[in-house]
Amino acid sequence: MLLNSLICWDNDMKKNLKILMTAAEIAPFAKVGGLADVVGSLPPALKKLGVDIRLMMPLYGTIDRKKFKLKKIKSNINIESGKRNLKINIWKGKLPPSAGSGRGGTLVIIYFIENKKYFGAKNVYVKKSNAERFLFFSLAALKALQIIKFKPDVIHCHDFHTALIPDLLKANDWPYFKNTKTIYTIHNLNYQGNSEIEILKTGNLTKDSLKTLTRDAQNGDINFMVQGILNAGLVTTVSKTYSKEIMTSTYGAKLDNIIKKRKKDLYGIVNGIDVLFFNPAKDKNIKKRYTSKTIKNKTTNKTYLQKKLGLPVNKDVPLVGIIMRLAWQKGIELFTEKFMDLNCQFVVLGTGQEKYEKKLKVLEKKYPNKFSAQIMFDIKLAQQIYAASDIFLMPSRFEPCGLGQMIAMRYGAVPVVRATGGLKDTVDLKTGFRFNKFETDDFYVALSRAINVYYKKPRDWKKLQINGMKKDFSWDKSAKEYLKLYRKLVK
Ligand code: GLC
């Protein structure tokens, strides 16, 4: 018995894994979508498991070096890129504890690659040249690792921006990375990073550098996502259901056949959320804090928000929240004028495609007592909406994981979601309402069902809320699954 536990202990301790996680966005430094939240909140959970995990991202012009106490640690490092030689500086900082990175001594280290030409601008993404920018970043990241002398066992890449790292490693055969493995996580298959072959030069690659590049280049361009999928040691997506969906023609975004080739190495690991940050018991942005035991305090948040947004103040009417990027993926077009005859109020927060923004503004004008359209990006208001809402909508066309439904449940807002991807994996009959077909009628019926339970079965309603609030959305479980995959790669 004692011997057994000693052996276990020895196995667990035998290797303190070194992991580099790298992505285009990491919250709170730079955020466009859910990718940033994930890469900003998963690492502390891995660190807790004993992994020496470090992060790396570009130093965008928007990142506040003073506020985040970043330090320049290396200057003027030459990156011999085939396109043009450029210099980088390396900066170092830590994930702030507000991002859930634990306290005292356990903060995760993050490195930044500074190059004004590529990353000096105010935006994470620019209109053109994203492929070139991020290929340069990937090349620079590999050089930076050698300069700072961090030799990862595994490099964990995310989405198309860092998808060419496995290719760079294979094509170059650097002795420094002799034992370094790679893992690639798909957050959203619809952004693939298509680019003309010319781009490869930036990374000192040619179309003949690898078989997969040669094949990919047959149609005259290079697809970063395809490269990541084919060349990484293992591939993951952010929910089990999405990992299966992307092997079908409906959800595969034309890559289903490529993905099927990696079926054996493909895993779905559902995201968590930063439960320290998203916590109604501690949230400083909301009017009245509450727990599952004091859930009636949500009403104060509701009436506060109604007043703030100019909606009729009424604690009894259900408030329905929508917070999303107004993009094709998110299914806002299913939301039509027909919904205005439901006995509830709506508040939408988000920005995105102009046609959706306009449509929402028109609804607000026509139904000022029912509908509030907040066309903006506002973290504080988002928290207030989660806290105030009784119901939260996510009618996504596809949803790799989705974070909004989990935040909503944590704040006691009952989700009504389309049963796809991570929405299907995180919302069930005990915590919310689902519909299957991507159609207005089905969506409408699901929301009507929710409103009906709200008015007619208050006890059942409360149960739904409490079940959601008590669900464990922390990263702990998923971090263990990632750790298993890292170990599988390095064994
Ligand atoms: C992308 C997906 C979203 C997922 C997020 C984080 O934004 O669209 O479903 O939750 O990445 O993985």
Side-chain angles (χ1 to χ4, degrees), residues 33-35 38 159 187-188 238 271 325 329-330 398-403:
L35 167 64
V38 170
D159 270 354
H187 294 261
N188 196 328
V238 287
N271 289 331
R325 274 183 291 122
Q329 170 192 351
K330 300 290 177 177
F398 67 94
E399 197 60 78
C401 178
L403 304 174

Side-chain angles (χ1 to χ4, degrees), residues 56-87:
M56 200 174 274
M57 71 181 289
L59 187 66
Y60 302 108
T62 39
I63 297 178
D64 188 334
R65 297 156 203 213
K66 270 212 190 106
K67 177 175 140 202
F68 291 117
K69 300 195 182 87
L70 308 186
K71 288 204 181 81
K72 196 193 281 184
I73 54 167
K74 301 278 174 195
S75 302
N76 278 323
I77 292 148
N78 196 38
I79 303 296
E80 289 116 23
S81 152
K83 197 98 181 261
R84 51 172 82 79
N85 287 359
L86 289 173
K87 297 215 184 301

Side-chain angles (χ1 to χ4, degrees), residues 302-330:
K302 174 155 73 178
T303 50
Y304 169 78
L305 190 71
Q306 286 168 328
K307 197 160 170 213
K308 175 168 168 172
L309 302 181
L311 289 165
V313 176
N314 176 352
K315 68 175 176 37
D316 297 321
V317 71
L319 182 66
V320 181
I322 301 176
I323 302 176
M324 60 167 65
R325 274 183 291 122
L326 298 169
W328 180 79
Q329 170 192 351
K330 300 290 177 177

Side-chain angles (χ1 to χ4, degrees), residues 25 32-39 158-159 185-189 191 237-239 242 269 271-272 325 329-330 394 396 398-406 422-423 475 482:
E25 312 169 25
V32 178
L35 167 64
D37 293 311
V38 170
V39 188
H158 295 264
D159 270 354
T185 297
I186 302 167
H187 294 261
N188 196 328
L189 202 57
Y191 302 104
T237 70
V238 287
S239 69
Y242 191 61
I269 302 179
N271 289 331
R325 274 183 291 122
Q329 170 192 351
K330 300 290 177 177
M394 282 184 79
S396 307
F398 67 94
E399 197 60 78
C401 178
L403 304 174
Q405 81 281 11
M406 293 193 266
L423 296 173
W475 272 106
Y482 279 113

Side-chain angles (χ1 to χ4, degrees), residues 10-115:
D10 183 46
N11 267 341
D12 280 348
M13 299 303 285
K14 75 174 177 254
K15 196 152 192 251
N16 209 345
L17 278 181
K18 288 193 169 68
I19 308 290
L20 179 85
M21 204 179 266
T22 180
E25 312 169 25
I26 302 179
F29 303 102
K31 168 172 163 164
V32 178
L35 167 64
D37 293 311
V38 170
V39 188
S41 59
L42 162 62
L46 284 162
K47 180 133 193 180
K48 261 203 284 182
L49 296 175
V51 176
D52 181 359
I53 179 146
R54 311 209 187 164
L55 304 175
M56 200 174 274
M57 71 181 289
L59 187 66
Y60 302 108
T62 39
I63 297 178
D64 188 334
R65 297 156 203 213
K66 270 212 190 106
K67 177 175 140 202
F68 291 117
K69 300 195 182 87
L70 308 186
K71 288 204 181 81
K72 196 193 281 184
I73 54 167
K74 301 278 174 195
S75 302
N76 278 323
I77 292 148
N78 196 38
I79 303 296
E80 289 116 23
S81 152
K83 197 98 181 261
R84 51 172 82 79
N85 287 359
L86 289 173
K87 297 215 184 301
I88 59 160
N89 300 323
I90 306 172
W91 292 65
K92 186 176 174 186
K94 286 184 174 163
L95 260 190
S98 62
S101 13
R103 275 147 278 235
T106 62
L107 298 181
V108 172
I109 292 175
I110 174 159
Y111 300 101
F112 296 86
I113 303 292
E114 178 182 24
N115 174 273

Side-chain angles (χ1 to χ4, degrees), residues 20 74 108 176 198 242 249 257 285 329 361 386 444 480:
L20 179 85
K74 301 278 174 195
V108 172
Y176 188 82
E198 176 71 2
Y242 191 61
S249 58
N257 287 328
N285 289 316
Q329 170 192 351
K361 277 287 174 201
Y386 285 118
Y444 181 89
K480 278 186 196 139

